[in-house]
Amino acid sequence: MGTHPAEDRAERLLGGSLAVLRQLRDGVVLLALGPDAVAGDFEVLMANDAALELYALRRSDLTGRGHDLMRTSGLDEAAAREITAALAAGEPATVTALVSRADGARLWVNIELTPLQTPEPGAGLWIAVSRDISSQVENAQLEQVRLDIERRARLALSIVARVSDILQEPDSADVLRAIADLVTPQVVAWSGFFVLGRDLEEVEGIVDRPDHRSRLPRHAADPAGDLLREPVMRTVRLEPGTTPEPGTVTARLYELLEPRFAQAPGAEGSVLVLPVLGRVRTLGLFVALPYQGATSARIDGPLGQPGTESIAILPDEVGTVLELVARRVGMAMDNAQLYAREHLLAETLQRAMLPEQADVPDLDVWTYYAPNVEHAQVGGDWYDVVNLGADTAAVVVGDVVGHDVEAAAAMGQLRSVVRAYAQELIDPAMVLSRVDSLVTGMRIPRTASLVYATLTRRDGSWTLRYSRAGHLPALLRRDGKVEALDAAGGQLVGFDGSERETALHTLLPGDVLVLYTDGLVERRDRSMRRGLEELVRLTESIRGPDAAGIGEELLQLADAPEDDIAVVVIRVPGGEGAESQDAPRRRRWQIPADPSAISRARQEVRQACEVWQVSDAAAAELVVSELVSNAVMHGRGQIGLRLQALGDGGLRIEVEDGNPAPPVTREQHTSRVGGYGMHIVDRLADWGWRPTPGGKVVWARMRHHAAPWAVGD
């Protein structure tokens, strides 16, 4: 028999089974329910030694009843409510409880509650078996922590990987906005990119201006203007309540961010600023408004599919993600600016070395040059047309290997050498021999090919003398047949060896001479031989009445050029010629930005209007004269002139220059001298302008039956 009335009752109800329960290694507690279990009406009848040890209690501590008993046991409130609900429902239950023992220890306990069947009806006897599961819970928590770390790492890598993908298209106008939109909902409440220019400004695209420098007001306490003393120029956290000094970068940043605080739900009010670093200097700022404490961020599933889990991003991890994003954007922006600097250098060289075409009396000459757009907008191809005297002109077309700045520099050196000897010597073979000798001593690092020719007037015809240095043969078309001028061949320039030769031909009225570089015929999908054959067939089929029209048709062969192109077309006036119906009704020229360009442009327009039978040629001449005059006075670099015959019999004129500033129509005043150019254009044509990567294009579409003499009405 037991020594306590409650234990005596348990002995009576369970008999010999009670001795077995006392010996179990798990903690066992027998409970007897009263009429109101919800109110905690139950009593402990027996607790074995394992239960007393598990809960760190004495046997006398378990004599209490109901909720007092559960508080004595150290069960947490949630577990106590679960146990009470299970007893009241009369159904078995398993409860996991956090126990705070009297000795200060805390442990996790699994409690299994089961009602028992006894000989005494309505006894309400329950058994509660308790086991210490602290080690299992700890392992599960550690596993969850590990999974959380893994998921956060996956999220961070996913964000950084997507940023790298977005930066694959750095030319996109909103690439930085796309990156900020990716980071904003997942990591921070708001983010954006800023650059230091004349003012602090938020940007959406990669800033690739190589001359972008900080020109902000100097710090009032820093007369040297050292922006490194600015808080926003360092990786800092600007807390709420900070009062930046007026006129500083920090003050301007707060001014720009003020509306963002209201628009960013969950932002804690502080600002996280990270520098966007280039190789040698700070290119911009990556600014973020963090969430309060941590944020729940979406985890994406495999292959970028949205997942359904969420995970807390800790403040330290936020900083890591933002830093990685800022680094990648910095590399992309620095590369863009490096490319822009190289591009600017290449364009500067190109403007200094642009091919020139002198007007040759009694010869129709058309020239064209286009660098490969995949490279730095400059290459080694070039041409020159030079007057050597009253009745003699020289023409050269050459190609230096390569498409980079070094190729352009080598081209400039070689071009100058050829020009110098062309002024002194007439015989092409002698010119190239002298060029060979000088180039060998100069040690120009790139090989080059060229063809040099002279044309001399002889009683209505022209005598052609030429010599080739490893260059493709020129083409001579006469009476619909094409001959490749492949004589007088020789080694590439600079290989001072065998003597050069000069070949002789006579050009008659109507003859067409075509000189070109390999970019006109070379393709990856066809051999050079096939390209030359197609060029010969195309040249045979052309019936254009002028050199510009012939050149436009030849350029059809280079619809998608893979290399630099230089072309010179020379036509001896006379003979029969009528433009074919399917010929491209457009013309283009590159003319120098000097006053002589105006008369040349008028001449080209007059000739094109005659060929295309465009009415009001006088009005077109006046319009092109005003547009080219503006380009000469206010533009930069070489001028591009383009004409296109329209289907309704009209004419479209385009003039391109290197000045991005738009044309201005000045207010008319009787006392002002000049300034009426665009008013004249406005009276005679519909016109407009558009920006280009290197400047602008001003276009005009001639109106039918315009009367130029009505301008002064």
Side-chain angles (χ1 to χ4, degrees):
M1 297 291 292
T3 59
H4 190 278
E7 292 188 355
D8 291 342
R9 183 183 175 191
E11 185 76 31
R12 186 177 68 254
L13 293 173
L14 296 179
S17 300
L18 189 61
V20 175
L21 295 178
R22 287 195 177 103
Q23 297 178 41
L24 291 178
R25 297 177 60 182
D26 294 329
V28 178
V29 177
L30 287 178
L31 304 174
L33 298 189
D36 190 0
V38 175
D41 185 11
F42 59 84
E43 178 184 9
V44 173
L45 300 184
M46 186 277 294
N48 67 355
D49 293 339
L52 298 178
E53 182 179 353
L54 179 64
Y55 291 100
L57 295 174
R58 294 170 300 179
R59 207 172 295 275
S60 59
D61 295 329
L62 295 177
T63 57
R65 300 181 65 86
H67 291 293
D68 291 337
L69 174 61
M70 284 190 279
R71 281 195 295 270
T72 302
S73 302
L75 298 176
D76 62 296
E77 293 186 5
R81 287 194 297 270
E82 286 188 61
I83 292 173
T84 301
L87 294 176
E91 296 292 335
T94 299
V95 177
T96 300
L98 177 61
V99 176
S100 300
R101 303 197 316 183
D103 59 3
R106 292 166 62 89
L107 67 157
W108 287 92
V109 175
N110 177 265
I111 303 174
E112 294 184 4
L113 296 169
T114 306
L116 297 179
Q117 299 294 327
T118 63
E120 183 178 319
L125 192 64
W126 285 68
I127 184 171
V129 180
S130 301
R131 299 182 182 87
D132 184 356
I133 59 170
S134 298
S135 59
Q136 294 95 313
V137 171
E138 182 178 353
N139 290 337
Q141 288 177 333
L142 290 175
E143 181 65 18
Q144 185 61 44
V145 169
R146 187 187 66 79
L147 289 175
D148 287 349
I149 292 173
E150 254 182 47
R151 290 170 178 173
R152 285 196 293 270
R154 283 170 45 204
L155 175 61
L157 290 174
S158 172
I159 292 173
V160 173
R162 290 192 183 185
V163 167
S164 299
D165 291 340
I166 294 173
L167 289 173
Q168 293 299 313
E169 299 181 5
D171 294 337
S172 174
D174 60 350
V175 59
L176 296 186
R177 184 69 265 160
I179 292 173
D181 289 343
L182 171 66
V183 172
T184 294
Q186 301 198 72
V187 181
V188 293
W190 180 87
S191 65
F193 291 87
F194 294 80
V195 295
L196 298 165
R198 289 184 175 85
D199 193 2
L200 188 68
E201 58 178 322
E202 185 179 357
V203 291
E204 296 188 349
I206 292 289
V207 177
D208 60 0
R209 299 190 294 275
D211 59 344
H212 202 79
R213 295 290 187 272
S214 173
R215 291 177 289 273
L216 285 163
R218 291 179 175 180
H219 196 293
D222 181 16
D226 184 3
L227 288 174
L228 290 179
R229 299 187 185 181
E230 281 279 0
V232 299
M233 296 301 293
R234 303 188 300 271
T235 306
V236 296
R237 195 181 184 92
L238 304 176
E239 299 297 342
T242 304
T243 305
E245 187 170 347
T248 64
V249 181
T250 310
R252 177 59 177 155
L253 178 62
Y254 267 97
E255 182 182 346
L256 294 173
L257 292 179
E258 186 175 357
R260 303 293 185 185
F261 285 103
Q263 300 168 6
E268 66 179 17
S270 63
V271 182
L272 190 62
V273 182
L274 295 95
V276 178
L277 299 175
R279 292 175 177 84
V280 295
R281 62 188 179 90
T282 300
L283 304 176
L285 303 174
F286 185 29
V287 180
L289 305 182
Y291 286 108
Q292 292 279 359
T295 176
S296 291
R298 186 185 68 218
I299 297 178
D300 291 333
L303 302 178
Q305 298 298 320
T308 57
E309 301 174 273
S310 63
I311 181 173
I313 300 297
L314 304 179
D316 289 344
E317 293 167 333
V318 168
T320 300
V321 172
L322 297 183
E323 183 179 356
L324 290 173
V325 171
R327 286 182 182 179
R328 276 161 173 73
V329 171
M331 287 189 293
M333 191 177 292
D334 199 51
N335 288 337
Q337 294 193 8
L338 178 62
Y339 175 79
R341 284 191 290 270
E342 291 181 350
H343 183 79
L344 180 62
L345 173 60
E347 285 188 337
T348 302
L349 280 173
Q350 182 185 6
R351 284 194 293 269
M353 303 173 184
L354 280 173
E356 295 183 11
Q357 175 195 328
D359 289 329
V360 182
D362 300 326
L363 278 182
D364 183 10
V365 182
W366 178 86
T367 54
Y368 178 79
Y369 168 73
N372 187 343
V373 295
E374 294 182 0
H375 300 283
Q377 296 298 314
V378 70
D381 291 19
W382 91 96
Y383 67 81
D384 261 336
V385 179
V386 184
N387 274 327
L388 299 182
D391 297 316
T392 303
V395 57
V396 59
V397 171
D399 183 2
V400 175
V401 174
H403 309 91
D404 51 14
V405 175
E406 186 178 78
M411 178 267 286
Q413 291 176 292
L414 190 56
R415 175 171 171 258
S416 299
V417 170
V418 174
R419 267 181 163 257
Y421 284 128
Q423 296 291 341
E424 298 178 5
L425 306 169
I426 297 298
D427 183 61
M430 188 173 293
V431 169
L432 291 192
S433 296
R434 293 287 184 88
V435 171
D436 283 333
S437 299
L438 187 58
V439 168
T440 301
M442 293 173 64
R443 296 182 180 178
I444 294 178
R446 300 295 182 93
T447 58
S449 68
L450 65 86
V451 55
Y452 176 76
T454 61
L455 295 100
T456 305
R457 192 196 316 267
R458 290 286 187 272
D459 300 326
S461 63
W462 292 80
T463 299
L464 170 69
R465 295 180 175 87
Y466 69 91
S467 184
R468 296 187 301 123
H471 202 79
L472 295 172
L475 301 181
L476 174 61
R477 193 196 73 185
R478 176 180 295 168
D479 299 330
K481 297 182 179 179
V482 174
E483 177 185 359
L485 304 183
D486 54 3
Q491 301 183 56
L492 295 172
V493 173
F495 291 87
D496 192 10
S498 60
E499 291 187 8
R500 299 289 184 181
E501 298 178 355
T502 296
L504 181 69
H505 265 275
T506 299
L507 303 185
L508 303 176
D511 285 356
V512 176
L513 181 66
V514 179
L515 301 96
Y516 55 93
T517 57
D518 57 5
L520 184 65
V521 296
E522 190 174 22
R523 292 289 183 280
R524 296 189 186 96
D525 59 351
R526 71 183 181 208
S527 65
M528 180 72 75
R529 180 185 297 275
R530 182 183 167 194
L532 289 172
E533 291 172 352
E534 291 186 15
L535 177 60
V536 169
R537 284 196 296 269
L538 182 59
T539 306
E540 288 176 341
S541 65
I542 291 174
R543 295 295 183 270
D546 61 343
I550 295 171
E552 287 293 340
E553 292 195 58
L554 291 178
L555 290 181
Q556 291 180 339
L557 194 63
D559 184 46
E562 299 174 357
D563 199 355
D564 308 331
I565 296 176
V567 182
V568 176
V569 177
I570 300 175
R571 183 178 183 275
V572 181
E576 295 183 0
E579 187 159 79
S580 59
Q581 294 296 321
D582 58 349
R585 296 170 62 82
R586 59 179 180 270
R587 303 286 190 270
R588 74 189 88 174
W589 296 267
Q590 295 165 323
I591 51 183
D594 57 54
S596 65
I598 302 171
S599 62
R600 181 180 171 191
R602 294 179 68 122
Q603 176 185 345
E604 303 294 1
V605 168
R606 183 166 56 250
Q607 184 173 344
C609 288
E610 181 181 347
V611 171
W612 294 331
Q613 299 181 353
V614 175
S615 61
D616 301 324
E621 279 190 64
L622 189 54
V623 168
V624 79
S625 177
E626 297 299 335
L627 294 182
V628 173
S629 295
N630 282 343
V632 170
M633 289 187 293
H634 308 295
R636 303 170 188 163
Q638 201 172 42
I639 297 171
L641 172 63
R642 293 187 286 272
L643 304 178
Q644 182 178 1
L646 304 177
D648 58 1
L651 179 69
R652 180 183 175 91
I653 303 170
E654 292 188 352
V655 176
E656 182 174 6
D657 64 67
N659 186 352
V664 177
T665 304
R666 296 183 181 179
E667 183 180 354
Q668 299 187 45
H669 196 280
T670 56
S671 63
R672 175 179 290 126
V673 177
Y676 293 94
M678 296 312 296
H679 288 286
I680 296 174
V681 174
D682 191 55
R683 180 65 64 91
L684 299 175
D686 299 317
W687 69 276
W689 75 283
R690 66 178 184 272
T692 64
K696 68 175 180 299
V697 169
V698 182
W699 60 267
R701 178 185 174 120
M702 300 303 302
R703 300 194 186 111
H704 291 301
H705 310 300
W709 53 83
V711 172
D713 292 351

